Amino acid sequence: MSICIPVYNTCSSDLLDDLKVQLNHLNEVTEVIVGDDCSSNKITNTKEKCKTHHFKFFENSRNTGSIATRLKLAKESKYDWILFLDADMRLSENDFVQKYLEAIPKKTNHLIFGGYSYNTEKTNNLRLHYGKAREEVDAYIRQKQPYRYVFSGNFLVHKDVFMKIAQKIPKGYGMDLYFGGLLRKENAYIEHIDNTTRHHGLETNQIFVKKIMQASINLRKVFEESDVNFGHVKLVYTYLFLKKCHTAFFAYILLELI
């Protein structure tokens, strides 16, 4: 299994330390590859940490985006199964990697999603509240609507399947919902398990709201330009309802004024 981590302006030291501790106790052969997408913020020591832990590392000469970096990570990996983790995560369980190794499917079109968890401190951070309400969901609930809970920060996928589907995803923030739609279109089987990563990359409220708005714009674009079924996305249903009632424009103006 190859553990692939795309990095951009994020300190991944804690995650890399977590992985090193767990890999030291495994008999199975695994590798860790970190791809830095030409970070402009040089406060991290990712390259040095990878060297210390004997992990593979590469840095893009220019910023190419998350999808392109993930595709490059997949090409650089030497094993058929890839575990993608976001750089701003921590491992929730001491046997996190072992659980994925034991869960590797027999069929290539079978993906496994471990889910997200968040710290329990009470703050006014919108990203934290959103994550706990929408993303911190037990596996048995996620399994009822498997394509709705597709989170790219913690999932296991066969290399061939990922490279086939990821090439269809446009560059831009908030493409997890579209990724879920593509998996649905390709009849990929999704299994949700309770093997979470703890999310530590909490943006400020202002940045989070801007990202949500940009993600909504990106989602509308791919929805209108593709033949992907978005039946798992509530936001699309809301958009269609507003459009049917001829109120979508007024909703947009209202959001602009907020």
PDB file of all heavy atoms in Angstrom, residues 141-155:
ATOM      1  N   ILE A 141     -24.064   5.300   9.220  1.00  0.00           N
ATOM      2  CA  ILE A 141     -24.919   6.343   8.650  1.00  0.00           C
ATOM      3  C   ILE A 141     -24.410   6.743   7.271  1.00  0.00           C
ATOM      4  O   ILE A 141     -25.188   6.901   6.323  1.00  0.00           O
ATOM      5  CB  ILE A 141     -24.955   7.574   9.578  1.00  0.00           C
ATOM      6  CG1 ILE A 141     -25.593   7.199  10.923  1.00  0.00           C
ATOM      7  CG2 ILE A 141     -25.735   8.723   8.917  1.00  0.00           C
ATOM      8  CD1 ILE A 141     -25.612   8.328  11.928  1.00  0.00           C
ATOM      9  N   ARG A 142     -23.097   6.878   7.133  1.00  0.00           N
ATOM     10  CA  ARG A 142     -22.526   7.222   5.836  1.00  0.00           C
ATOM     11  C   ARG A 142     -22.847   6.159   4.793  1.00  0.00           C
ATOM     12  O   ARG A 142     -23.064   6.463   3.618  1.00  0.00           O
ATOM     13  CB  ARG A 142     -21.011   7.388   5.964  1.00  0.00           C
ATOM     14  CG  ARG A 142     -20.572   8.662   6.656  1.00  0.00           C
ATOM     15  CD  ARG A 142     -19.071   8.818   6.660  1.00  0.00           C
ATOM     16  NE  ARG A 142     -18.439   8.200   7.813  1.00  0.00           N
ATOM     17  CZ  ARG A 142     -17.421   7.363   7.763  1.00  0.00           C
ATOM     18  NH1 ARG A 142     -16.919   6.996   6.596  1.00  0.00           N
ATOM     19  NH2 ARG A 142     -16.906   6.850   8.870  1.00  0.00           N
ATOM     20  N   GLN A 143     -22.879   4.910   5.213  1.00  0.00           N
ATOM     21  CA  GLN A 143     -23.117   3.820   4.275  1.00  0.00           C
ATOM     22  C   GLN A 143     -24.519   3.865   3.672  1.00  0.00           C
ATOM     23  O   GLN A 143     -24.754   3.337   2.577  1.00  0.00           O
ATOM     24  CB  GLN A 143     -22.892   2.475   4.971  1.00  0.00           C
ATOM     25  CG  GLN A 143     -22.716   1.303   4.027  1.00  0.00           C
ATOM     26  CD  GLN A 143     -21.467   1.422   3.167  1.00  0.00           C
ATOM     27  OE1 GLN A 143     -20.373   1.616   3.678  1.00  0.00           O
ATOM     28  NE2 GLN A 143     -21.630   1.317   1.863  1.00  0.00           N
ATOM     29  N   LYS A 144     -25.456   4.510   4.354  1.00  0.00           N
ATOM     30  CA  LYS A 144     -26.819   4.615   3.831  1.00  0.00           C
ATOM     31  C   LYS A 144     -26.868   5.512   2.597  1.00  0.00           C
ATOM     32  O   LYS A 144     -27.726   5.341   1.739  1.00  0.00           O
ATOM     33  CB  LYS A 144     -27.748   5.159   4.913  1.00  0.00           C
ATOM     34  CG  LYS A 144     -27.935   4.223   6.107  1.00  0.00           C
ATOM     35  CD  LYS A 144     -28.835   4.844   7.160  1.00  0.00           C
ATOM     36  CE  LYS A 144     -29.009   3.926   8.363  1.00  0.00           C
ATOM     37  NZ  LYS A 144     -29.866   4.536   9.411  1.00  0.00           N
ATOM     38  N   GLN A 145     -25.967   6.490   2.529  1.00  0.00           N
ATOM     39  CA  GLN A 145     -25.848   7.374   1.369  1.00  0.00           C
ATOM     40  C   GLN A 145     -24.361   7.473   1.007  1.00  0.00           C
ATOM     41  O   GLN A 145     -23.728   8.512   1.221  1.00  0.00           O
ATOM     42  CB  GLN A 145     -26.417   8.762   1.674  1.00  0.00           C
ATOM     43  CG  GLN A 145     -27.925   8.769   1.949  1.00  0.00           C
ATOM     44  CD  GLN A 145     -28.429  10.162   2.272  1.00  0.00           C
ATOM     45  OE1 GLN A 145     -28.149  10.723   3.329  1.00  0.00           O
ATOM     46  NE2 GLN A 145     -29.175  10.730   1.340  1.00  0.00           N
ATOM     47  N   PRO A 146     -23.808   6.401   0.487  1.00  0.00           N
ATOM     48  CA  PRO A 146     -22.345   6.292   0.354  1.00  0.00           C
ATOM     49  C   PRO A 146     -21.691   7.356  -0.507  1.00  0.00           C
ATOM     50  O   PRO A 146     -20.567   7.790  -0.206  1.00  0.00           O
ATOM     51  CB  PRO A 146     -22.163   4.899  -0.254  1.00  0.00           C
ATOM     52  CG  PRO A 146     -23.470   4.566  -0.896  1.00  0.00           C
ATOM     53  CD  PRO A 146     -24.504   5.216  -0.036  1.00  0.00           C
ATOM     54  N   TYR A 147     -22.355   7.823  -1.562  1.00  0.00           N
ATOM     55  CA  TYR A 147     -21.728   8.793  -2.458  1.00  0.00           C
ATOM     56  C   TYR A 147     -21.799  10.215  -1.913  1.00  0.00           C
ATOM     57  O   TYR A 147     -21.093  11.102  -2.383  1.00  0.00           O
ATOM     58  CB  TYR A 147     -22.388   8.734  -3.841  1.00  0.00           C
ATOM     59  CG  TYR A 147     -22.270   7.379  -4.486  1.00  0.00           C
ATOM     60  CD1 TYR A 147     -23.346   6.491  -4.479  1.00  0.00           C
ATOM     61  CD2 TYR A 147     -21.076   6.963  -5.071  1.00  0.00           C
ATOM     62  CE1 TYR A 147     -23.239   5.235  -5.058  1.00  0.00           C
ATOM     63  CE2 TYR A 147     -20.958   5.707  -5.649  1.00  0.00           C
ATOM     64  CZ  TYR A 147     -22.043   4.852  -5.637  1.00  0.00           C
ATOM     65  OH  TYR A 147     -21.923   3.600  -6.201  1.00  0.00           O
ATOM     66  N   ARG A 148     -22.646  10.420  -0.925  1.00  0.00           N
ATOM     67  CA  ARG A 148     -22.766  11.747  -0.319  1.00  0.00           C
ATOM     68  C   ARG A 148     -21.577  12.053   0.593  1.00  0.00           C
ATOM     69  O   ARG A 148     -21.163  13.207   0.729  1.00  0.00           O
ATOM     70  CB  ARG A 148     -24.063  11.829   0.481  1.00  0.00           C
ATOM     71  CG  ARG A 148     -24.268  13.145   1.205  1.00  0.00           C
ATOM     72  CD  ARG A 148     -25.540  13.140   2.029  1.00  0.00           C
ATOM     73  NE  ARG A 148     -25.697  14.356   2.809  1.00  0.00           N
ATOM     74  CZ  ARG A 148     -26.660  14.563   3.686  1.00  0.00           C
ATOM     75  NH1 ARG A 148     -27.585  13.627   3.888  1.00  0.00           N
ATOM     76  NH2 ARG A 148     -26.732  15.691   4.363  1.00  0.00           N
ATOM     77  N   TYR A 149     -21.024  11.030   1.219  1.00  0.00           N
ATOM     78  CA  TYR A 149     -19.954  11.226   2.200  1.00  0.00           C
ATOM     79  C   TYR A 149     -18.595  10.827   1.628  1.00  0.00           C
ATOM     80  O   TYR A 149     -17.864  10.028   2.208  1.00  0.00           O
ATOM     81  CB  TYR A 149     -20.261  10.436   3.471  1.00  0.00           C
ATOM     82  CG  TYR A 149     -21.506  10.914   4.185  1.00  0.00           C
ATOM     83  CD1 TYR A 149     -22.722  10.250   4.029  1.00  0.00           C
ATOM     84  CD2 TYR A 149     -21.469  12.045   4.997  1.00  0.00           C
ATOM     85  CE1 TYR A 149     -23.868  10.698   4.673  1.00  0.00           C
ATOM     86  CE2 TYR A 149     -22.605  12.489   5.648  1.00  0.00           C
ATOM     87  CZ  TYR A 149     -23.803  11.819   5.493  1.00  0.00           C
ATOM     88  OH  TYR A 149     -24.927  12.271   6.131  1.00  0.00           O
ATOM     89  N   VAL A 150     -18.276  11.386   0.476  1.00  0.00           N
ATOM     90  CA  VAL A 150     -16.982  11.144  -0.154  1.00  0.00           C
ATOM     91  C   VAL A 150     -16.038  12.270   0.258  1.00  0.00           C
ATOM     92  O   VAL A 150     -16.187  13.412  -0.172  1.00  0.00           O
ATOM     93  CB  VAL A 150     -17.131  11.082  -1.686  1.00  0.00           C
ATOM     94  CG1 VAL A 150     -15.777  11.140  -2.368  1.00  0.00           C
ATOM     95  CG2 VAL A 150     -17.863   9.804  -2.087  1.00  0.00           C
ATOM     96  N   PHE A 151     -15.083  11.947   1.125  1.00  0.00           N
ATOM     97  CA  PHE A 151     -14.119  12.927   1.626  1.00  0.00           C
ATOM     98  C   PHE A 151     -12.726  12.524   1.148  1.00  0.00           C
ATOM     99  O   PHE A 151     -12.224  11.452   1.498  1.00  0.00           O
ATOM    100  CB  PHE A 151     -14.144  12.999   3.150  1.00  0.00           C
ATOM    101  CG  PHE A 151     -15.511  13.264   3.738  1.00  0.00           C
ATOM    102  CD1 PHE A 151     -15.922  12.630   4.898  1.00  0.00           C
ATOM    103  CD2 PHE A 151     -16.375  14.155   3.128  1.00  0.00           C
ATOM    104  CE1 PHE A 151     -17.179  12.876   5.446  1.00  0.00           C
ATOM    105  CE2 PHE A 151     -17.636  14.409   3.657  1.00  0.00           C
ATOM    106  CZ  PHE A 151     -18.034  13.774   4.819  1.00  0.00           C
ATOM    107  N   SER A 152     -12.100  13.396   0.370  1.00  0.00           N
ATOM    108  CA  SER A 152     -10.831  13.040  -0.268  1.00  0.00           C
ATOM    109  C   SER A 152      -9.638  13.067   0.679  1.00  0.00           C
ATOM    110  O   SER A 152      -8.530  12.723   0.283  1.00  0.00           O
ATOM    111  CB  SER A 152     -10.562  13.984  -1.446  1.00  0.00           C
ATOM    112  OG  SER A 152     -10.485  15.334  -1.002  1.00  0.00           O
ATOM    113  N   GLY A 153      -9.849  13.449   1.927  1.00  0.00           N
ATOM    114  CA  GLY A 153      -8.741  13.542   2.868  1.00  0.00           C
ATOM    115  C   GLY A 153      -8.419  12.259   3.595  1.00  0.00           C
ATOM    116  O   GLY A 153      -7.472  12.212   4.392  1.00  0.00           O
ATOM    117  N   ASN A 154      -9.179  11.176   3.314  1.00  0.00           N
ATOM    118  CA  ASN A 154      -8.945   9.921   4.022  1.00  0.00           C
ATOM    119  C   ASN A 154      -9.684   8.791   3.306  1.00  0.00           C
ATOM    120  O   ASN A 154     -10.805   8.454   3.659  1.00  0.00           O
ATOM    121  CB  ASN A 154      -9.421  10.044   5.479  1.00  0.00           C
ATOM    122  CG  ASN A 154      -9.300   8.750   6.253  1.00  0.00           C
ATOM    123  OD1 ASN A 154      -8.564   7.842   5.875  1.00  0.00           O
ATOM    124  ND2 ASN A 154     -10.034   8.647   7.363  1.00  0.00           N
ATOM    125  N   PHE A 155      -9.050   8.231   2.265  1.00  0.00           N
ATOM    126  CA  PHE A 155      -9.712   7.132   1.552  1.00  0.00           C
ATOM    127  C   PHE A 155      -8.690   6.247   0.854  1.00  0.00           C
ATOM    128  O   PHE A 155      -7.583   6.664   0.520  1.00  0.00           O
ATOM    129  CB  PHE A 155     -10.740   7.662   0.550  1.00  0.00           C
ATOM    130  CG  PHE A 155     -10.169   8.269  -0.706  1.00  0.00           C
ATOM    131  CD1 PHE A 155     -10.205   7.577  -1.911  1.00  0.00           C
ATOM    132  CD2 PHE A 155      -9.622   9.542  -0.693  1.00  0.00           C
ATOM    133  CE1 PHE A 155      -9.704   8.131  -3.078  1.00  0.00           C
ATOM    134  CE2 PHE A 155      -9.119  10.113  -1.855  1.00  0.00           C
ATOM    135  CZ  PHE A 155      -9.155   9.403  -3.043  1.00  0.00           C
TER     136      PHE A 155
END
